Amino acid sequence: MSHAAAVHGIQLSTEPTDLARIALNRMGLVGKGNERDRRPTQDEIDRVVA
């Protein structure tokens, strides 16, 4: 939403989005992803592609 407002000139309030992000972070519901330490097997890749 911030991108749309800044880049595309769309008039909207980003405050609700900003407040939601703060609340979700404090509640521990969002965060950085975990780093993967393995590669997918060929079978896993085949199943995703199918």
Side-chain angles (χ1 to χ4, degrees):
M1 293 193 127
S2 298
H3 173 81
V7 175
H8 301 291
I10 297 172
Q11 297 296 316
L12 56 88
S13 173
T14 59
E15 185 180 6
T17 305
D18 296 336
L19 293 175
R21 185 181 311 273
I22 291 168
L24 291 170
N25 279 326
R26 289 188 179 166
M27 294 170 65
L29 297 175
V30 294
K32 291 191 172 197
N34 296 328
E35 186 175 328
R36 295 183 177 262
D37 59 356
R38 71 174 186 89
R39 294 276 197 202
T41 64
Q42 187 60 46
D43 181 53
E44 291 170 328
I45 294 171
D46 293 339
R47 288 188 345 209
V48 168
V49 171

